Amino acid sequence: MTELIPAPRSVVAGSGEVRLTARSRLYAGTGTEGVGHWLRTVLHQATGLPLREGRVLDDTEGDGIGLQLDTGLGPEEYRLAGDRGGVLIEGGSAAGVFWGAQTLRQLLGPDAYRRAPIDRDRTWTVPHVTIEDSPRFRWRGLMLDVARHFMPKDGVLRYLDLMAAHKLNVFHFHLTDDQGWRIDIEKYPRLTEVGSWRARTKFGHRASPLWDDRPHGGHYTQDDIREIVAYAAERHITVVPEIDVPGHSQAAIAAYPELGNTDVIDTSALSVWDTWGINPNVLAPTDNTLRFYEGVFEEVLELFPSEFIHVGGDECLKDQWRQSPTAQRRIRELGLKDEDELQAWFIGHFDSWLSARGRRLIGWDEILEGGLAPGATVSSWRGYAGGIAAARAGHDVVMCPEQRVYLDHRQDAGADEPVPIGYVRTLEDVYRFEPVPTELTPDEARHVLGTQANVWTEVMEDHARVDYQTFPRLAAFAEVAWSSLPAPEERDFADFERRMTAHYGRLDALGVAYRPPAGPRPWQRRPGVLGRPIDGPPPNR
């Protein structure tokens, strides 16, 4: 009963239990019908119980489940009460009811996460308990990079289910990069015809001598994207797409060479990049490039109803702009000081373009360089400094510092850790992450929309590797994002570990190939594959 993740705000235990039986009913009140359909489906799969529809709340009395809205609760707040009247979940919105339903699933035990009953004679019980809960942050995100290694649609849907099980509600979908373009744009078919495939792939860190010589690629059709967005919405998850500009764009330039700096290099000789690192081939700051990407974003906006659209903006090397007569002429025409201000102009163009269409631009913290457009929001990844600067300047911020919540970073210093990247970030390290910098005043801290864990997939060749890097640390992150925890040094990690003992059973039932507490299993190791470990503790800022 107390082994819930993330930890709820209040738990009051009663005595006794609710028994779900073949005669139990599920009532979904007005506004909760979608949650009722989801809950009936997953519980029927796991338990075999029919959970017939209740026409009124009284139909659930004693051994049933009721769902209803309570306008006195906050938008994502819920109250779960299990007593002699059955189980009643109330929420301030359908989202609140859905998070309460996720808690109910945890109360039923790990086998409630299976897709078929493994014991039809089993008795399913929910303890008599009252749980009141609400999230700390409105943005509780996971970024998944499908550009470096493509994840087929079914894998993406699976990750949406895993996010929902941990009460995460923003899926940052990293769709384009130097190594692949993953979304079909009807106006520009070569983006996927050419840009979604690369001839081979570096295996391990970019300094590794190893190659996988198989072609790698794939993309999502527009109907795939619609399905992903709809699937996420049913789970009260918002999908925020990322289309990278002006750096991280070699796949687009390989498809349409005129997008690159043609007065500096022969862009027609470029292919989709097959290795890792920061790429010098960036978009040309021309009107043609702006019109091209406006065409891309027009289709993106039709597919994604999200308030925010991510435009990347990170790691844009400006060497080609310094050498380009076209770029230098644009700097002079616009009265700009340097190439940093040229990038700020580029990002500012799309900030205005998106704002005119009722959307908000978000980008990595490099968009602060050269001046930030008034309405832009910042993903603070290079530590806390970018987020602090943005919040103090009145910009909204999502905190995702690489030294804390980049889940591609290694989980242990052991030699058997597969393809070790970056600093050691243990389960406890993630649990002690604090998203709101102490330097911010209360007014400035209000600009912190929330936090996000990022999964970059350069060294993750399949879903099992993604699972290994993501879990169990995503469970710790989810608690940081949802629960009102004390200061990092005061958090009870021993209690979290105790609750994780039960949670590993849930992950097992879900088929998650997580890193075991004792270290990687033999098939999870990658002996002889070069990584890029960084020794010592990460910097605080």
Side-chain angles (χ1 to χ4, degrees):
M1 180 180 64
T2 58
E3 296 167 340
L4 301 174
I5 291 177
R9 183 179 71 222
S10 170
V11 179
V12 178
S15 58
E17 59 188 19
V18 176
R19 295 195 169 202
L20 300 180
T21 69
R23 67 185 183 89
S24 297
R25 292 184 178 270
L26 193 157
Y27 167 76
T30 302
T32 73
E33 296 89 349
V35 181
H37 174 74
W38 174 85
L39 185 60
R40 181 178 291 107
T41 299
V42 296
L43 292 188
H44 176 67
Q45 286 177 342
T47 68
L49 299 176
L51 292 174
R52 296 180 179 87
E53 182 177 351
R55 291 182 294 276
V56 294
L57 187 59
D58 287 348
D59 282 351
T60 69
E61 187 171 353
D63 64 356
I65 301 168
L67 311 175
Q68 65 182 23
L69 300 181
D70 181 343
T71 56
L73 299 175
E76 292 189 276
E77 187 175 12
Y78 71 88
R79 181 190 306 112
L80 183 155
D83 55 28
R84 289 181 177 80
V87 179
L88 176 63
I89 301 172
E90 299 170 290
S93 69
V97 175
F98 183 73
W99 304 131
Q102 293 289 352
T103 297
L104 171 63
R105 204 177 180 193
Q106 289 198 19
L107 292 172
L108 285 165
D111 288 340
Y113 290 84
R114 299 192 180 277
R115 294 188 182 182
I118 58 176
D119 181 2
R120 290 189 176 273
D121 295 326
R122 171 177 178 163
T123 300
W124 294 88
T125 63
V126 180
H128 285 178
V129 63
T130 300
I131 298 172
E132 296 181 340
D133 203 5
S134 60
R136 179 184 179 190
F137 293 111
R138 60 172 276 202
W139 185 301
R140 307 180 302 279
L142 174 69
M143 189 225 71
L144 181 62
D145 166 24
V146 298
R148 272 53 176 270
H149 278 99
F150 178 67
M151 180 177 284
K153 180 192 66 178
D154 286 352
V156 174
L157 300 179
R158 173 176 175 265
Y159 259 81
L160 292 169
D161 280 329
L162 292 173
M163 287 179 64
H166 292 84
K167 299 187 173 73
L168 299 174
N169 70 339
V170 178
F171 179 57
H172 177 167
F173 205 10
H174 184 80
L175 287 163
T176 73
D177 218 295
D178 299 304
Q179 296 85 1
W181 184 285
R182 305 297 179 208
I183 177 172
D184 180 36
I185 301 297
E186 293 177 354
K187 188 173 184 179
Y188 305 119
R190 286 176 60 83
L191 286 172
T192 48
E193 290 171 0
V194 174
S196 69
W197 292 90
R198 58 179 182 261
R200 62 174 186 169
T201 300
K202 176 67 72 173
F203 191 26
H205 181 251
R206 60 181 175 272
S208 168
L210 304 176
W211 292 91
D212 182 343
D213 288 321
R214 296 173 298 176
H216 177 85
H219 73 276
Y220 310 103
T221 68
Q222 293 203 355
D223 281 345
D224 289 338
I225 294 292
R226 293 184 182 97
E227 180 182 356
I228 288 167
V229 169
Y231 195 86
E234 289 176 350
R235 287 145 184 81
H236 298 275
I237 295 170
T238 299
V239 183
V240 175
E242 180 177 352
I243 306 295
D244 263 294
V245 296
H248 287 286
S249 298
Q250 184 163 318
I253 297 169
Y256 291 92
E258 65 271 21
L259 296 174
N261 295 284
T262 57
D263 55 352
V264 177
I265 65 164
D266 179 9
T267 56
S268 65
L270 294 177
S271 59
V272 177
W273 213 26
D274 56 13
T275 189
W276 321 121
I278 302 176
N279 191 310
N281 297 304
V282 302
L283 297 174
T286 64
D287 289 342
N288 174 66
T289 300
L290 297 180
R291 300 294 90 76
F292 183 97
Y293 273 88
E294 287 171 0
V296 170
F297 282 118
E298 283 171 357
E299 295 190 27
V300 167
L301 295 192
E302 290 178 1
L303 295 169
F304 295 93
S306 56
E307 175 185 5
F308 291 93
I309 303 295
H310 209 292
V311 300
D314 62 313
E315 297 180 330
C316 178
L317 295 181
K318 301 178 176 67
D319 294 342
Q320 290 183 0
W321 287 357
R322 293 185 185 98
Q323 300 167 35
S324 164
T326 301
Q328 293 302 309
R329 185 167 54 251
R330 176 124 267 179
I331 289 174
R332 291 191 299 272
E333 291 170 350
L334 295 169
L336 304 177
K337 183 175 68 176
D338 56 20
E339 291 76 18
D340 284 343
E341 289 194 358
L342 183 60
Q343 177 170 340
W345 164 81
F346 196 108
I347 296 296
H349 173 86
F350 285 103
D351 180 71
S352 299
W353 190 90
L354 289 167
S355 294
R357 289 154 180 80
R359 306 299 185 95
R360 295 180 65 185
L361 179 146
I362 183 169
W364 303 108
D365 56 51
E366 285 95 332
I367 67 174
L368 288 163
E369 299 166 3
L372 184 56
T377 297
V378 170
S379 299
S380 186
W381 76 274
R382 295 179 298 176
Y384 288 89
I388 293 170
R392 286 176 172 168
H395 294 279
D396 288 340
V397 176
V398 175
M399 296 302 301
C400 48
E402 65 168 329
Q403 304 91 339
R404 308 292 162 185
V405 288
Y406 267 36
L407 301 186
D408 50 308
H409 283 205
R410 57 189 174 140
Q411 304 185 62
D412 190 85
D416 58 356
E417 209 63 29
V419 198
I421 299 295
Y423 295 101
V424 172
R425 294 287 83 195
T426 65
L427 183 67
E428 182 173 0
D429 290 330
V430 174
Y431 188 67
R432 298 194 188 280
F433 163 59
E434 172 50 47
V436 180
T438 56
E439 294 92 333
L440 296 181
T441 67
D443 284 343
E444 292 166 347
R446 292 189 184 96
H447 284 291
V448 179
L449 301 179
T451 184
Q452 178 173 290
N454 295 339
V455 181
W456 300 102
T457 62
E458 287 94 332
V459 299
M460 302 178 208
E461 71 277 8
D462 56 33
H463 86 271
R465 280 288 289 124
V466 175
D467 280 5
Y468 180 90
Q469 292 298 135
T470 304
F471 290 97
R473 292 182 296 180
L474 192 68
F477 173 80
E479 184 147 313
V480 168
W482 176 277
S483 305
S484 295
L485 299 175
E489 64 276 6
E490 299 171 5
R491 295 176 188 172
D492 189 349
F493 181 67
D495 177 69
F496 178 76
E497 280 192 305
R498 179 189 63 78
R499 288 181 284 123
M500 277 301 299
T501 301
H503 201 65
Y504 286 121
R506 299 173 191 134
L507 296 179
D508 286 333
L510 286 164
V512 177
Y514 59 85
R515 181 189 189 276
R521 296 180 172 95
W523 56 88
Q524 292 174 321
R525 300 168 187 161
R526 297 291 185 275
V529 182
L530 185 68
R532 185 183 61 90
I534 304 175
D535 293 329
N540 289 329
R541 289 292 173 258

